[in-house]
Amino acid sequence: RTRKKKAKSSSEMKTKLLALLGTTTGLCPPNVALSKSRVRLFATSEEWTIPKVRETFIKYFEEKQEHSIVASSPVVPLSDPTLLFTNAGMNQFKVIFLGSVEPSSPLAKLKRACNAQKCIRAGGKHNDLEDVGLDTYHHTFFEMLGSWSFGDYFKKEAIQWAWELMVDIYGLDPDRMYATYFGGDEAEGLAPDYQAKELWLQFLPESRVLPGSKKDNFWEMGDSGPCGACSELHYDVRGNRGEVPQLVNADDPEVLELWNLVFIEFDRSATNGKLSSLPAKHVDTGLGLERLTAVLQGKLSNYDTDAFMPIFQAIQNKLPPDVPAFQSGYQGRVGISDPDSIDTAFRAIADHVRCLCIAIADGARPSNEGRGYVLRRVLRRAVRYSRQTLGAKETPFIASLAPVLAHGPLGEAYPELRTELDKIVEILTDEEQTFLTTLDRGLKYLDESILELGDTTNKKDCAVLPGSKAFFLYDSLGFPIDLTRQVAAERGVAVDEDGFRTAMAQQVARSRATKSKSGLGNRFVLSAAQTAALADGSGIPITESLAPISGTTYTEGVTILAAFALNEDKELFQVSVEEALGGKHGEELGLILDSTPFYAEGGGQVADTGVIGDSFIVMDVQTYAGYVLHVGRLTAPLASSIVKCTVDAERRAKIVPNHSMTHSLNHALRIVLGDGVEQRGSLCDDQRLRFDFSHPRAVNPDELAKIEALVQDIVQADLNVDAKLVPLEKARSISALRAVFGEAYPDPVRVVAQGCLIDQVLESPEAEQWYDYSIELCGGTHLQNTREAQAFVITEETAVAKGIRRIEAVTREAAAQAQVTGIQLTEQAAELEQRVQTDDDSITLAEMLKTLRNDIDASVAPAALKPQLRERLDAAGKVLFSRQKKQRNTIINQAASQANEAAELAAKEGRSAFVLNLPAGLDAKAAASLTNQVAKAHPDLAFFAVTAPDPFTDDDKIKCFAAVPENHPLFPNANTWLQAALKPLNGRGGGKPNFAQGSVPNADDQTILNLLTTAQTILDDASSPSSS
């Protein structure tokens, strides 16, 4: 049907296409051939360059189909936190599909659009990184040619134009084309897209119009939002073999998907996942530029096109002449035909250089998080291929390829590659040099680990590298898991990736639990591989921890057994003890000793600080698999590996009572609030203690007072604290035992009791009498007697989450000071209450009330007292407010009287306007009422009034207003006078023609005077004969 229509005007169409594309621009060759009444524009493979294919696509949609060209968005989608990188052409139009585009945005006016979009798929849901280089069509960076309709045309036009462009313009063989359509989905209640099928049947036989599954032919933006059926054009790049429908969507490299046409007409609900129709139907198409160019050039590989060949040549030129890769160059080999992975390396490096340069030019930077970490992985993969596979010696190698890209066709299409070239080279150079410092060490470790697996050549199953070793490479040597996987695969070894993920999860859990003030501990985290290396590789025994047992703060003759440092990427790796001892001033290290008096953070208690030797300042202490890691900085080299350890005893002495009183508090909470109270977390440092617990509501002041009193009774009761290691099963037999739900305890476990002996408890562990005492599992440091805590005060009770409350408290000197502060605040509240009843100075009293309320909120004082004081202040405030209301009324009456008197005088003197200073505190409502009074008595008068800030509020701005009646002889409207007066003083305001109001910041007497003077000067100038 369509062919008959086209035959009718084939000559006319030929003329239009030639005029549209222009034979002098190089877009299309001048030879036009007619075949079966269809205009076909043929080009030799050499003529279809990347720039030409791109320009032809855009020009077709812009000029022939009236699409607006929208520039490619950056690959760094800073406005869309859901994306690591721009991974499709539709990303920047997402707001249109979601219906959230701002009306003032240029996107709101778009009906049709087209462009070439820079895309990166190297992280997140769309991730091609691990496939790049291994085949001939995957890329991390590529260009997506796209066309869009936003509520304009739909399937008919999209399919017709796709066929016209591919066959009539690009000249692809229609006999090698296949089209797919959505075959429906019964579970979703979606019928097959027979409309798309019928449209394709205008151009193709039914044997080459194929139904597709939901996976292949139903596009969704995400778990919810706009979605719809899609239809794809596939092309048999080999041809001359009959029809091969079985190879469509079969991941066959010779039958390629070229163009995806998405018909967006549904919206998936985020709440129930159901589909509903969108108010408008959209079209979103995507066509890979590199893939299309390869087909047009008659190449079987995207990498054989002019997008990559210049980079291959540059790579080869930079290699040493004696390496095989230089001698062979790029030959396009894949799989077993590329045994040395030379061509794999060429492809990976060329692709990765494109990705890195584009991303950095658009603002991304390599780092340890998010998209920055993705870029770091890409770079390190490229570096490894260049050094280990191709034999590159030049440093930097990857960075040296950036100018080739910038000065080539890609830099012409995206000028940012040229303008940002210096920055690109600088960043790549720094990253490459940093990685090279650890690459050789990592490869050596990996090769040694593989050798340990033994000879597996005659074994049925391949050897498997343990996940712990893969994680060590990742965690300590900067090897991404995909890099380890590749190297291992080249040596015929698999990787235990489940074990790797387990090790990763363990590290994440430890990192979240580490809350060191030093800013060091969060970076010094021993991995499972590192602790295993200490135990198995070096035979280093776990650390003997002296702090919980003896409470000592000083030991001598301690031996440093192992040391760790950070590389330039802030990644932890082991160094020799000798190297660590000779470190320079300020160097950050982690030391493992044979024994230590330092308490490692745990059980809610912060780590000790202090000094090892005379020059290693300990700022954090953590434990990993029994090894205590002392993290800190050198102030000078250590003289020996045999050292003394000095804990900051004064700081420890403040931490210990806070920890012991946490136990007492836990005990008191159960007594007052009931057995439903369960510990949900704690923190004990040298300033305070913090205790989180389960409770459905806020603890009221009376309950807080009872809890505090119970703990204070424990302090005064002079109870001995007993601690003992007990088999875990035996400890759990104690019915009165308090433990943290979900906590993994050691076996044996340390039991701490206040006021009773643990041996006696174990003799009758189920006895009811033990519920009268605090008995807990704990490995922290504690008092010997509760009286050493001296005092206890709860200072805060707040919500952490639904059903979780938090109490903060202090002990010793801090508690005593809190009690004194409470007494002082109570006395100040009493004084204020008395003055409110007897003193008429409402302004002073209001300031006193405000100050005292802020002092109570910010104070470290008994939490049970604060609500009582706030209630007393609220009552005093009500009395004060009632008095202020009367005073405000007096001010308003005074202001009205002054304004009326001034108006009478102005009228008597024959003036048409006047300026006056009114009492402080007039608000907008009072000003409007006053204006109405003056206008009623003197309708022809204009006036400008100024009032100082309201003394009863926090507002410190001078208020002013202007009133100008209609047809006034001096001022056209109120705004004219107001704005002229405010401008010199940086004031702001506005209003209606007859009444406008404004304000001036930084109120003081001089500013008020300046405003009055300015307003009067404006009036005088307007009244002078010259102004008329």
Side-chain angles (χ1 to χ4, degrees), residues 557-561 577-578 581 592-594 612 638-644:
V558 175
T559 303
I560 301 174
L561 300 179
V577 173
E578 292 74 18
L581 294 179
I592 291 177
L593 316 176
D594 60 346
I612 292 177
L638 288 167
S640 169
S641 60
I642 309 299
V643 293
K644 61 183 178 182

Side-chain angles (χ1 to χ4, degrees), residues 537-659:
S538 305
I540 295 175
I542 62 174
T543 311
E544 181 185 4
S545 297
L546 306 175
I549 300 173
S550 64
T552 183
T553 57
Y554 178 81
T555 54
E556 295 180 344
V558 175
T559 303
I560 301 174
L561 300 179
F564 292 84
L566 296 170
N567 62 23
E568 293 182 9
D569 285 340
K570 302 301 181 185
E571 298 164 334
L572 194 65
F573 67 100
Q574 189 170 355
V575 296
S576 68
V577 173
E578 292 74 18
E579 184 179 350
L581 294 179
K584 59 185 178 181
H585 174 79
E587 183 170 353
E588 301 174 1
L589 295 171
L591 304 180
I592 291 177
L593 316 176
D594 60 346
S595 65
T596 181
F598 287 90
Y599 180 78
E601 180 180 352
Q605 180 175 329
V606 298
D608 281 334
T609 57
V611 182
I612 292 177
D614 294 318
S615 57
F616 184 74
I617 308 302
V618 177
M619 304 177 72
D620 185 38
V621 187
Q622 300 290 329
T623 182
Y624 305 102
Y627 294 102
V628 177
L629 186 69
H630 305 74
V631 181
R633 290 190 178 95
L634 285 170
T635 59
L638 288 167
S640 169
S641 60
I642 309 299
V643 293
K644 61 183 178 182
C645 296
T646 308
V647 175
D648 185 338
E650 183 178 351
R651 181 173 177 271
R652 164 88 72 80
K654 294 178 180 179
I655 297 171
V656 169
N658 287 342
H659 196 159

Side-chain angles (χ1 to χ4, degrees), residues 731-750:
R732 284 177 168 165
S733 70
I734 303 171
S735 58
L737 183 75
R738 300 290 280 175
V740 179
F741 176 77
E743 183 78 13
Y745 290 100
D747 189 8
V749 66
R750 191 159 172 261

Side-chain angles (χ1 to χ4, degrees), residues 70 79 90-111 150-151 221 226 279-280 282:
V70 179
S79 60
M90 57 73 57
N91 290 161
Q92 67 174 314
F93 304 116
K94 190 174 176 180
V95 290
I96 300 178
F97 297 133
L98 291 172
S100 58
V101 62
E102 289 290 336
S104 58
S105 167
L107 295 178
K109 301 179 180 64
L110 278 181
K111 289 296 182 181
F150 308 112
M221 182 181 294
H282 311 291

Side-chain angles (χ1 to χ4, degrees), residues 820-1010:
V820 171
T821 300
I823 294 171
Q824 293 172 341
L825 292 172
T826 302
E827 292 174 348
Q828 292 174 32
E831 180 186 356
L832 178 64
E833 288 171 326
Q834 182 180 6
R835 290 192 60 178
V836 165
Q837 298 298 328
T838 60
D839 196 333
D840 291 332
D841 188 356
S842 295
I843 295 177
T844 301
L845 291 174
E847 188 61 34
M848 287 179 60
L849 179 65
K850 175 184 173 183
T851 300
L852 184 54
R853 184 175 278 118
N854 290 338
D855 288 346
I856 292 171
D857 291 343
S859 68
V860 178
L865 176 64
K866 290 182 179 181
Q868 300 173 16
L869 295 178
R870 293 187 185 107
E871 288 180 7
R872 292 170 65 177
L873 293 188
D874 288 343
K878 289 179 180 178
V879 174
L880 192 58
F881 177 77
S882 177
R883 185 180 303 166
Q884 290 173 350
K885 186 175 181 180
K886 293 178 181 178
Q887 291 175 342
R888 279 195 177 92
N889 290 335
T890 301
I891 290 172
I892 292 172
N893 292 333
Q894 290 176 351
S897 177
Q898 288 183 24
N900 288 329
E901 289 177 5
E904 289 288 346
L905 180 60
K908 185 177 181 180
E909 295 177 350
R911 291 182 282 124
S912 62
F914 62 94
V915 176
L916 75 157
N917 186 15
L918 293 173
L922 280 185
D923 57 18
K925 183 178 179 181
S929 175
L930 183 150
T931 300
N932 289 335
Q933 292 181 38
V934 173
K936 188 175 181 179
H938 303 279
D940 297 328
L941 274 180
F943 68 95
F944 189 104
V946 177
T947 177
D950 188 344
F952 304 123
T953 69
D954 296 334
D955 191 357
D956 63 350
K957 294 178 181 178
I958 302 169
K959 303 293 193 304
C960 62
F961 56 93
V964 176
E966 191 175 353
N967 299 322
H968 192 270
L970 300 183
F971 301 107
N973 55 59
N975 256 320
T976 302
W977 197 359
L978 181 80
Q979 297 294 348
L982 290 175
K983 185 175 181 181
L985 300 174
N986 296 318
R988 301 178 64 183
K992 298 180 180 180
N994 64 338
F995 180 76
Q997 55 188 329
S999 63
V1000 177
N1002 305 320
D1004 55 42
D1005 292 342
Q1006 185 60 50
T1007 305
I1008 293 173
L1009 179 59
N1010 291 342

Side-chain angles (χ1 to χ4, degrees), residues 421-449:
L421 180 59
D422 290 343
K423 180 62 68 176
I424 293 170
V425 171
E426 175 186 347
I427 292 171
L428 291 178
T429 299
D430 181 66
E431 281 288 316
E432 186 172 353
Q433 290 175 339
T434 298
F435 181 52
L436 286 174
T437 61
T438 60
L439 178 61
D440 291 339
R441 187 187 300 131
L443 290 171
K444 180 181 178 182
Y445 175 87
L446 183 54
D447 286 335
E448 290 173 350
S449 299

